[in-house]
Structures are given as structure tokens and as C-alpha cells.
Amino acid sequence: MFIDIAKIYVKSGKGGDGCVSFRREKYVPLGGPDGGDGGKGGDVVFEIDHNINTLINFKYNRKFLAENGENGGTSKCYGKDGKDVVIKVPEGTILIHSESGKVITDLSGENRRFVLLKGGKGGKGNCKFCTPTRQAPDFAEPGMPHDEMNLILELKLIADVGLIGFPNVGKSTLISKITNARPKIANYHFTTLHPNLGVVDYKGINGFVVADIPGIIEGAAKGIGIGLEFLRHIERTRVLVHILDVSGIERRDPIEDFKLINSELEEYSNDLINRPQIVVLNKSDMLYEGREKIQKIKKFLESLGFNDVFEISALTGEGLVDLVRKIKKLVDETPKVILNFEDDEMYIFEPKRFSYTISKEVNEFGDNYYLVTGSFVDRLLSTVNIYNFSSLRYFHKVLTNKGVIDELKSMGVQEGDMVRLNNFEFEFIG
């Protein structure tokens, strides 16, 4: 089964908590603090795997969780780091932030491995809080929290050549003749429901990859039919091979088909219409209207600058050698396509800061108080033992070092005013 869109949830590991411990041995009654640090949480990592070419692995497995770091131990033992979760994806996979719809990264080319979310840092044990004046700290630091994200994975195939055209023009027959691909072939529209990749190996001509793109119809760029689902797969192709059915069996006008397909390409992406394009007149062995029709089509194409137009029969193999040679030459002359995204299309990771805000509030009794909120507050309170004097001294020192005390003073706090951090309240002492 071919799947090129998937939605997943990823979460990095939380850092392990630091340990509160004191060395106690028979002849060492006052050995001091010996709590170790917590381990680092695991990262969320994406890697390219050349053995897969679809996102089918994400059809049922949609949650990827890295391990949490272990808590620190006694005797200054550090907790073990959590294992990373490594997610294998095919080359050409784009990571998209689900909520904003913006692109995070494109896993292709030199970008083989990408660390999406870092694990939380381990917290420090109580032995790290020793100072000459605080020799027996009975508090430790908690581990840093995890990160999480909802993602959309979108696969855009890596191929040198893309076969395009209306349904039932012979794309699948052609790729089955010149490559090792074996797509389903039948005489009805939309036989091909997903792209087929094949490596060319035809009468001594080899070395490039061809993608058979399911039939594009009028309105595909607006979401009509299944064309829109697969237009993304020709974005990376160096060369487009546009196949027209000239037999007349389908009672379609090849000239109008050519105009419509190119109109859809242009509407989907301006870059695609300028991609090198080879025009192929297929089913030339089944002409109902004679050579005059071929000449009319060629004259029209020449007026647009397409001088090399190939008449072939994909079924019998007529004309395939010259066609494949021309494709090979054009592929070698055309540089690889690198997808470029505008700045406003890219997702920007905000640096992780433990911030706070201070506001002046009024409680239910009409008394004023100062409210300090934010991620900094949550982290600080988790390290403090409010019933321990040395821990409270550390708490006050952190408030001073982080500028909270100075900001409170600038807002007019007076001695005796109430300051609240979440559910913890204290009277300000200047």
C-alpha cells in the first residue's frame, strides 16, 4: 500500500530529577550531601532510510515517545540518560507542524538526519547546591520537562523523471518497458492509483529513476480527481515526459490535452511549467485518422518550441530507444531540483526560556497583591521546600538573581505587601 501523508504525535523524554541524599556511614556521621544528578531525556530524531519509499509504517503506529531520564541516586550516582526515539522515513519526506501548517524541514539531499525535539536536561542533585554557608542542602533540582508536537509527514518522491498525462495514455505501459517497475496495466481510467518508481535499464541505457504519476485531469490543481494528491510527486523531478494519446481511441484531442495538463502544472507551481519537458506521441501504431493528425500535433508543438517530439508505441517498443537516450541526455544536463521554501512557510522554533510576568491584582477581600506567573515560577517552586530555612534562602537568592525582586520594587512593592507565586504566598521584606 502506498501512503504519502501521515499524521503523528512525538514527545521527547523528561529529564530525571536530582536526588536529595546524605552520606551516612558508621564512622562518617556527617558525610555531607551526596545526591546525584538526573539523566537527560531522550531526543526525537528523524533519519532517512533508503529501504522504504512510502509512509505506510505510520498508518497504525502514530505515537513516538522517547524515554525519560532516570532520577539521580545516592552516593553521587547519576541517573541514566533516556534512549532517543529514532523515526525512519523515506527520502523526500517533509516534516510539517500540524497546528500552523508550516514546514519544519525537508529530509532529502544532504539533510539525512534531523533532531526535532531535544530531551529535557537532568536536574542537579543536592550535592551541587553546597556552598561554604549552605553545607547541607536538603533540596534538589527537578528534571527539565519534555517537548511534544503533532506533525504531518508529507512524502514527495525523489525521481529524475516524471511521466505525466491524462489517464489511460500509456504511462504505466511505458514505465514497465523501460524500468524494473511492474505496475498494474489495464484499459480503463485511473488504473494507476499511486505513483510507481522504476530504475531505467533499457538496452544499455541506465542510471536514472522514473516516476509514473497517476493521471492528472482538468481541475487537478484545485483538488478535483486524484491529481492533486500526486502533483507533489513531480516537484522534485528534473525532467517531465508528457505523454499524449494520438490513437483517437479515447476520442480526445491531444492538443487540448497538452494545453490542459500544462495549465494544471502552472497553476500548481510556476516552477513546474519551466521544467525541461519532452513530448511523446504514444499509440502511434493505432492511428485512426492517418498521418495528417500527427503532422498537425507536431506543428502545434513546434510553434511552442518543442522541436524534439517522439512518436512511440509503448506496447510494441517502437521508438523507445531514441526516447530513452534523449531522456538520459536531458537528465544528465539538468541539475537536481532542490525545493526552496519561503521564509513565511518555515516553522521557527522558539528558544526555550523560563520566563515570568508580574501583575498587580486584588484578592477577594479587596487587598492588593503582586502575582508572579510563568514557566520560571513552576520550575522554581518545584525545587523549594518552604518548610526548610536553607531552601527558602536559596529561593530568595534565585528571585534576586533573576531580577524578580528588582522588578517588584520598580512596580512599587512595599515592605509587608503580599507576593504570590502560584499557591505560594509570602510577605515582601525589603
Side-chain angles (χ1 to χ4, degrees):
M1 182 182 294
F2 183 86
I3 294 178
D4 56 2
I5 290 282
K7 293 182 179 181
I8 64 172
Y9 166 81
V10 294
K11 187 177 82 169
S12 62
K14 174 190 175 298
D17 296 336
C19 176
V20 177
S21 173
F22 295 89
R23 183 183 175 196
R24 292 292 182 265
E25 298 179 22
K26 186 173 182 180
Y27 299 107
V28 190
L30 300 174
D34 68 348
D37 296 352
K40 174 185 171 298
D43 300 337
V44 176
V45 182
F46 284 83
E47 280 188 358
I48 290 175
D49 186 343
H50 291 288
N51 294 318
I52 54 178
N53 57 10
T54 175
L55 300 177
I56 192 171
N57 293 340
F58 304 98
K59 183 174 176 62
Y60 301 108
N61 187 16
R62 297 187 178 184
K63 285 188 176 181
F64 297 87
L65 313 177
E67 280 190 354
N68 294 332
E70 287 188 355
N71 295 335
T74 60
S75 303
K76 297 183 180 179
C77 290
Y78 281 42
K80 186 171 69 173
D81 291 346
K83 289 184 180 178
D84 299 339
V85 57
V86 180
I87 305 170
K88 304 285 188 178
V89 295
E91 185 172 9
T93 301
I94 295 175
L95 307 187
I96 300 172
H97 184 248
S98 181
E99 282 76 18
S100 67
K102 294 192 174 183
V103 174
I104 296 173
T105 191
D106 178 6
L107 284 158
S108 62
E110 298 298 319
N111 189 21
R112 324 298 295 174
R113 190 174 191 272
F114 181 74
V115 179
L116 176 68
L117 300 178
K118 290 276 192 180
K121 184 181 177 183
K124 296 176 181 177
N126 67 332
C127 68
K128 294 291 180 66
F129 293 96
C130 282
T131 67
T133 57
R134 186 176 61 232
Q135 298 183 2
D138 58 355
F139 59 93
E141 191 177 46
M144 295 280 278
H146 65 266
D147 275 335
E148 58 187 345
M149 187 178 289
N150 289 302
L151 290 175
I152 297 174
L153 307 184
E154 182 177 291
L155 174 61
K156 297 186 178 183
L157 291 177
I158 303 292
D160 299 303
V161 179
L163 304 182
I164 60 174
F166 268 80
N168 210 32
V169 296
K171 299 187 296 296
S172 296
T173 303
L174 177 59
I175 198 172
S176 70
K177 291 287 186 179
I178 64 175
T179 75
N180 55 359
R182 292 297 175 262
K184 181 180 179 181
I185 300 172
N187 189 28
Y188 55 82
H189 290 185
F190 299 111
T191 309
T192 304
L193 295 176
H194 59 80
N196 292 297
L197 282 178
V199 180
V200 170
D201 183 12
Y202 187 74
K203 298 189 177 181
I205 308 168
N206 52 44
F208 60 95
V209 179
V210 176
D212 166 20
I213 309 300
I216 301 170
I217 63 174
E218 185 178 1
K222 294 186 176 72
I224 298 174
I226 63 172
L228 179 61
E229 297 179 33
F230 302 113
L231 276 168
R232 71 175 70 94
H233 294 302
I234 60 177
E235 288 191 62
R236 299 186 193 273
T237 56
R238 301 195 228 180
V239 176
L240 299 178
V241 176
H242 194 155
I243 302 176
L244 302 174
D245 178 0
V246 296
S247 68
I249 295 175
E250 297 284 333
R251 298 189 180 279
R252 298 190 60 88
D253 183 349
I255 292 177
E256 288 303 313
D257 286 356
F258 180 85
K259 292 178 181 178
L260 286 171
I261 293 292
N262 279 285
S263 175
E264 294 302 322
L265 296 181
E266 187 173 16
E267 187 168 351
Y268 181 77
S269 169
N270 285 327
D271 180 55
L272 285 180
I273 200 64
N274 297 317
R275 202 71 53 85
Q277 190 174 143
I278 296 173
V279 182
V280 176
L281 308 183
N282 191 27
K283 304 184 184 180
S284 60
D285 57 328
M286 302 171 64
L287 284 172
Y288 281 7
E289 302 176 29
R291 297 290 305 172
E292 294 79 9
K293 182 177 183 179
I294 294 285
Q295 296 306 322
K296 178 183 176 182
I297 297 170
K298 283 188 173 182
K299 188 174 181 180
F300 164 76
L301 293 171
E302 287 172 2
S303 70
L304 299 178
F306 293 93
N307 297 317
D308 291 328
V309 179
F310 292 84
E311 295 180 45
I312 70 163
S313 170
L315 184 63
T316 66
E318 179 185 346
L320 292 189
V321 173
D322 291 339
L323 171 62
V324 176
R325 283 176 181 161
K326 175 64 177 179
I327 296 173
K328 170 67 173 173
K329 182 174 183 294
L330 201 52
V331 166
D332 291 343
E333 294 172 351
T334 307
K336 288 186 176 181
V337 176
I338 299 175
L339 296 184
N340 295 311
F341 300 97
E342 301 295 331
D343 290 343
D344 60 355
E345 295 179 293
M346 298 299 296
Y347 179 78
I348 299 175
F349 284 90
E350 295 292 337
K352 188 184 291 185
R353 296 188 180 95
F354 288 95
S355 58
Y356 65 87
T357 57
I358 303 177
S359 59
K360 197 170 184 179
E361 307 288 341
V362 179
N363 64 19
E364 60 271 23
F365 304 108
D367 300 324
N368 294 327
Y369 69 94
Y370 292 84
L371 178 65
V372 186
T373 58
S375 55
F376 162 73
V377 174
D378 299 334
R379 179 165 171 76
L380 177 60
L381 288 178
S382 64
T383 68
V384 174
N385 179 359
I386 61 174
Y387 302 106
N388 180 274
F389 178 71
S390 61
S391 181
L392 285 174
R393 287 183 62 188
Y394 169 74
F395 169 73
H396 185 269
K397 181 179 178 181
V398 173
L399 291 180
T400 302
N401 292 341
K402 295 296 183 181
V404 177
I405 300 298
D406 288 340
E407 189 168 339
L408 284 168
K409 289 179 179 178
S410 69
M411 294 178 67
V413 68
Q414 300 295 320
E415 188 159 337
D417 286 348
M418 190 66 67
V419 179
R420 179 183 295 175
L421 289 82
N422 290 350
N423 295 322
F424 176 57
E425 293 182 345
F426 65 92
E427 288 187 2
F428 185 80
I429 300 175

